[in-house]
Amino acid sequence: MTTHTTSKIIPAEARGMFPFRRESRVPSSRRGPLPVRLSVLFVCALWVVPALGVVLTSFRSVDDANSSGWWTLFAHPGGFTDLTLGNYSRAIEQADLGTAFLNSVAITLPAVFLPLLVAAFAAYAFTFMTFKGRDTLFIVIVALLVVPNYVAFVPIIKLYASVHLNGTFPAAWLAHIGFGMPLAIYLLRNYMATLPKDVIESAKIDGASHFQTFNRLILPMSAPALASFAIFQFLWVWNDLLVALIFVGPGDKQPVTVATNSLLGQQGTGWELVTAGGLFSVLVPILVFLTLQRYFVRGLTSGAVKG
């Protein structure tokens, strides 16, 4: 009795069909060359190391901060037991950061939503409506992006003084709206130009007005661009010191950036309180960015390279 054995050879094309044949490692070509990865790590370190120093310094006492650097904590880990919240309590009490925090909210929210609303209407007009001088007007608006903000400070201050707006919330609102409007129109117009024209034509055939088309079609489809500019404007307004210092100034209406700046004395004293106040002020921007960062990337890339 003879036994015949047949050998079955699996084609190379079919090997990928079996799970145990698949490679789990990421190809080196997709991970990038070593110099690129080292460069990314170096850039990340440039951001992370100073931020880590600010965080640790904000929890150190005045004597410890003046006698040694924050990096000595890693050489002597026992120093971590001496960290304290005293800087935060002193900063909140001395600069009234609670009231300043509410003032920042009162300044930031209108300065974000008002230009977003006006720019959305303007972007729709530049994209889907035809009128004389449309392209020229759009070029003029985009050209305003190259004009530095501080060039307009003196005439704006004189205008505000004539209508008694200096030192009020509307002064900061109008300044941020004017400075942020060109970028908002540019991003939203370029994003709307990438939307399918068939949907707009179908709405026209069905008898929809421009407002109905804008409200029911364009706004929902433009959510990534709207969210990206909202994040960008929120971070800019919340972290702004120059506009707030000039048009609002110190006082009972000062935002958190001006209040934090007031913690620093003329001789450089109080710098440890500035680190605590600075970290207190960045909690909200970090939360907003982490929550909506996916829209930020999608909206900026679509609005900046298309159209």
Side-chain angles (χ1 to χ4, degrees):
M1 184 176 179
T2 61
T3 303
H4 299 280
T5 60
T6 59
S7 61
K8 297 182 180 181
I9 301 176
I10 300 176
E13 295 80 7
R15 293 174 185 173
M17 299 174 61
F18 298 94
F20 54 83
R21 293 283 186 178
R22 294 178 180 174
E23 293 287 341
S24 59
R25 298 177 59 185
V26 179
S28 58
S29 59
R30 297 182 61 182
R31 289 181 295 179
L34 181 60
V36 174
R37 284 180 282 169
L38 293 178
S39 300
V40 172
L41 291 176
F42 176 73
V43 172
C44 292
L46 291 179
W47 285 90
V48 173
V49 172
L52 179 62
V54 172
V55 172
L56 294 178
T57 303
S58 67
F59 291 101
R60 304 185 74 196
S61 63
V62 179
D63 295 335
D64 291 341
N66 290 330
S67 61
S68 60
W70 58 268
W71 52 87
T72 58
L73 291 174
F74 297 96
H76 306 284
F80 282 99
T81 59
D82 297 329
L83 299 182
T84 176
L85 295 175
N87 292 335
Y88 288 90
S89 60
R90 289 175 56 198
I92 293 175
E93 180 181 358
Q94 182 174 332
D96 196 9
L97 291 182
T99 302
F101 183 89
L102 297 179
N103 292 338
S104 291
V105 174
I107 293 174
T108 303
L109 293 184
V112 171
F113 290 111
L114 290 179
L116 191 63
L117 179 62
V118 176
F121 280 110
Y124 175 86
F126 281 121
T127 307
F128 302 107
M129 299 176 65
T130 303
F131 53 90
K132 186 177 181 180
R134 182 186 67 173
D135 296 337
T136 303
L137 181 59
F138 180 73
I139 293 175
V140 172
I141 292 176
V142 174
L144 294 176
L145 290 172
V146 303
V147 179
N149 296 343
Y150 53 81
V151 173
F153 283 170
V154 173
I156 291 178
I157 290 176
K158 292 182 178 179
L159 178 62
Y160 284 174
S162 63
V163 294
H164 306 288
L165 276 181
N166 283 327
T168 63
F169 289 156
W173 296 343
L174 295 175
H176 285 299
I177 290 172
F179 295 148
M181 193 70 68
L183 179 62
I185 295 176
Y186 174 75
L187 290 178
L188 295 179
R189 185 265 178 188
N190 285 355
Y191 187 89
M192 291 181 183
T194 65
L195 300 178
K197 299 297 188 297
D198 296 339
V199 177
I200 310 302
E201 295 298 331
S202 300
K204 290 182 179 179
I205 295 175
D206 293 338
S209 63
H210 282 296
F211 181 77
Q212 291 174 331
T213 304
F214 173 79
N215 188 38
R216 298 183 180 182
L217 295 178
I218 301 302
L219 279 184
M221 290 189 295
S222 301
L226 294 171
S228 66
F229 175 75
I231 298 173
F232 186 86
Q233 182 74 351
F234 184 92
L235 298 178
W236 168 258
V237 177
W238 184 277
N239 296 323
D240 171 74
L241 174 62
L242 182 60
V243 173
L245 195 60
I246 292 176
F247 297 113
V248 179
D252 57 346
K253 293 183 174 62
Q254 65 180 2
V256 69
T257 52
V258 177
T260 302
N261 182 68
S262 66
L263 293 172
L264 186 63
Q266 294 182 354
Q267 303 298 326
T269 59
W271 62 273
E272 74 283 350
L273 301 180
V274 175
T275 59
L279 286 178
F280 178 84
S281 66
V282 301
L283 294 179
V284 173
I286 291 176
L287 179 62
V288 171
F289 184 81
L290 293 179
T291 303
L292 302 175
Q293 58 89 19
R294 57 174 181 172
Y295 296 107
F296 182 76
V297 175
R298 288 171 54 192
L300 282 185
T301 53
S302 298
V305 301
K306 296 181 181 181

